[in-house]
Amino acid sequence: MSQQLARAAGTGGSVVVDQCQVCGKRDLESVLFLGYLPPVNQMRTIGERPHEQPSYPAEVLHCSKCQLVQIGLIVDPAILFPPEYPYTSGTTRILRENFAELERESTLLLNLTGKELVVDIGSNDGTLLQNFHAAGHPVCGVEPTLMANLANQRGIRSIMSFFGPEAAARVVDECGKAGVVTATNVFAHIEGIHDIVKSVLALLADDGVFITESHYLIALIETLQYDTIYHEHLRHYSLESMQFLLNMHGLEVIHTKRIPTHGGSIRVYAARRGARKVMPTVQQVFAEERAGGPVSDRLKAFKRHVAMSKVQLHALLKDLLGRGSHIYGVGAPSRASTLISYVGLDREILDCVVEVKDSYKVGKYMPGTLVPVVDEARLFEDQPEFALLLSWHIADELIPKLRQRGFKGQYLVPLPEPHIVSAI
Ligand SMILES: [Zn+2]
């Protein structure tokens, strides 16, 4: 019984993954268990007494057939993305630069003329499409949240809908077939991945190209980003598993490269088999993947390193707290919740987590803890001895900024090797 059928049959809101989401293989290998994690977007208001709250097992599974790495439980999307879920644009500088570069690269590589329709899946406030719009392309976004309205107000045509067969048919109906379909940082999140790829195919012109960007499994392994494991991320792709999925639908990878977004992602171009020339980058990235050895071996080492990083961080914290130091967390992205839960950082260790003033998270507790999220002004007013960087993957960008804004303390970088960066 497929996962969708299992859910429809009323076997519960969440679905245990007992077969690979891509190839259907059973007997998946359990490679890591991070314990039970609370949903990252369920944050209680400060002052509220703790009460019943769900937690879900964060087990990571590996498929030896297609090499997909995947979460072991698909949590009911109604719980992960409740209607009141405060979506934000998330358009950081790195992302904006990345989208501009995507437009330049695809225009060059695909010889785009500016006439091709470009469709973005999960188009948010239209930031990605804005680049193609400026280059003269007709564009259409598909976005399930109110951000679609914002995009429309900015002149980026957007349909407010989840992406699937109906949304694809509507786009074709209203705008025609697409020369380019993009899906950035959504391809790992949507359940029923085969329906999504089929819907992309329905949308693509014969020589159309599908461009997807996803957090890259190899980056996750290399820099120990276990904190990107949470229930919104159903799958973690390598080029090999991505290609396996695309090949199942008659698509082939024609170009790929690693990109810096989200701590290390991979951009993959795919077209109908034989429709486009395959570029040498595909073999290059494959060769690099293979040079690292079999994924199952790398995951075994990863598991050991994850456990070691936890005890090393504890040792460091023991030393700092033993000296009476105060530690503030900086930033409350989703990944912070995994790290805090797995390492076990509560109020006696972290005084608080600071966030930008207008973040909806200010005034709440970090999920599953009594660590308050407060306005970042507190960091500069209180000057604690240490700032724990919870967005450690952009530490190089964050540290100079915090220094410039007047933070005089030291920085605790939790991963991949817990270490302290001293103030200069
Ligand atoms: Zn598989």
Side-chain angles (χ1 to χ4, degrees):
M1 189 184 283
S2 78
Q3 282 148 9
Q4 286 79 7
L5 285 175
R7 176 163 294 160
T11 52
S14 299
V15 178
V16 173
V17 174
D18 57 3
Q19 59 186 93
C20 176
Q21 296 174 52
V22 164
C23 75
K25 184 184 183 301
R26 294 186 179 273
D27 304 321
L28 302 175
E29 180 191 5
S30 176
V31 292
L32 181 67
F33 185 64
L34 294 175
Y36 283 72
L37 302 180
V40 294
N41 291 307
Q42 289 199 14
M43 299 175 77
R44 302 292 178 194
T45 303
I46 293 174
E48 205 178 328
R49 293 288 311 282
H51 51 81
E52 189 176 276
Q53 189 173 25
S55 285
Y56 299 96
E59 185 182 30
V60 181
L61 307 172
H62 171 238
C63 173
S64 59
K65 184 177 172 191
C66 75
Q67 304 303 327
L68 183 73
V69 170
Q70 53 205 303
I71 195 92
L73 184 81
I74 298 178
V75 176
D76 186 346
I79 290 168
L80 295 184
F81 308 104
E84 69 276 15
Y85 179 71
Y87 290 93
T88 48
S89 72
T91 46
T92 59
R93 182 182 58 81
I94 291 177
L95 276 180
R96 281 195 303 275
E97 286 175 4
N98 178 63
F99 292 155
E101 195 268 335
L102 169 63
E103 187 275 325
R104 288 195 299 273
E105 183 194 63
S106 57
T107 298
L108 194 70
L109 293 182
L110 305 176
N111 296 315
L112 299 180
T113 63
K115 293 198 177 73
E116 302 85 356
L117 172 69
V118 181
V119 176
D120 188 28
I121 300 168
S123 50
N124 211 299
D125 62 358
T127 304
L128 185 155
L129 286 177
Q130 180 69 48
N131 296 287
F132 288 96
H133 177 67
H137 289 272
V139 299
C140 184
V142 181
E143 165 63 36
T145 75
L146 290 170
M147 297 306 274
N149 291 343
L150 185 61
N152 277 313
Q153 284 160 21
R154 295 170 57 192
I156 304 298
R157 181 185 184 131
S158 301
I159 293 172
M160 198 191 297
S161 169
F162 283 100
F163 183 73
E166 293 85 17
R170 192 174 151 195
V171 173
V172 173
D173 224 34
E174 295 180 12
C175 308
K177 295 249 181 171
V180 175
V181 174
T182 53
T184 63
N185 207 33
V186 293
F187 210 52
H189 302 60
I190 311 176
E191 196 182 349
I193 191 64
H194 293 294
D195 285 343
I196 298 300
V197 180
K198 280 180 203 160
S199 302
V200 169
L201 275 167
L203 200 52
L204 272 183
D206 288 347
D207 64 344
V209 174
F210 175 48
I211 307 173
T212 180
E213 294 181 357
S214 301
H215 194 241
Y216 188 34
L217 174 71
I218 306 302
L220 184 152
I221 292 174
E222 283 170 350
T223 49
L224 215 61
Q225 296 187 59
Y226 73 79
D227 56 343
T228 62
I229 295 165
Y230 44 86
H231 292 93
E232 279 84 340
H233 289 167
L234 303 180
R235 298 171 292 274
H236 299 272
Y237 295 104
S238 60
L239 179 58
E240 188 171 356
S241 58
M242 179 71 82
Q243 174 171 265
F244 193 103
L245 167 64
L246 296 167
N247 284 354
M248 285 174 82
H249 295 274
L251 288 161
E252 69 181 346
V253 177
I254 59 165
H255 168 63
T256 186
K257 76 168 176 182
R258 294 180 71 160
I259 53 173
T261 54
H262 307 289
S265 302
I266 187 164
R267 181 185 290 164
V268 173
Y269 285 53
R272 285 187 174 83
R273 196 171 288 123
R276 294 266 184 174
K277 189 168 168 286
V278 177
M279 296 172 215
T281 51
V282 180
Q283 276 318 312
Q284 282 161 17
V285 174
F286 262 128
E288 284 165 24
E289 264 188 20
R290 289 188 185 123
V295 170
S296 57
D297 291 351
R298 298 181 79 176
L299 288 167
K300 284 189 187 95
F302 176 74
K303 182 182 185 174
R304 283 195 305 277
H305 293 150
V306 168
M308 283 310 293
S309 82
K310 176 173 174 168
V311 293
Q312 282 167 0
L313 185 56
H314 278 186
L316 206 52
L317 290 167
K318 177 170 181 269
D319 183 40
L320 304 184
L321 294 168
R323 286 190 265 141
S325 300
H326 289 276
I327 306 169
Y328 285 18
V330 175
S334 297
R335 63 194 303 157
S337 183
T338 297
L339 186 128
I340 283 176
S341 294
Y342 174 67
V343 176
L345 305 180
D346 210 332
R347 187 67 189 268
E348 304 311 312
I349 298 171
L350 273 189
D351 286 36
C352 59
V353 170
V354 302
E355 261 276 289
V356 287
K357 191 170 68 183
D358 56 0
S359 165
Y360 72 91
K361 296 175 182 175
V362 171
K364 307 274 175 59
Y365 290 122
M366 288 299 290
T369 76
L370 293 180
V371 177
V373 181
V374 301
D375 182 341
E376 64 177 354
R378 283 273 304 278
L379 183 74
F380 306 106
E381 285 161 15
D382 299 354
Q383 295 288 345
E385 287 85 354
F386 291 92
L388 170 66
L389 299 183
L390 295 165
S391 296
W392 59 273
H393 61 296
I394 51 167
D396 291 348
E397 196 182 318
L398 271 181
I399 290 175
K401 259 192 206 160
L402 292 170
R403 268 186 193 145
Q404 197 187 11
R405 295 179 59 197
F407 178 61
K408 297 182 180 68
Q410 301 184 73
Y411 301 87
L412 181 48
V413 182
L415 288 169
E417 286 272 326
H419 66 282
I420 288 168
V421 176
S422 296
I424 294 171

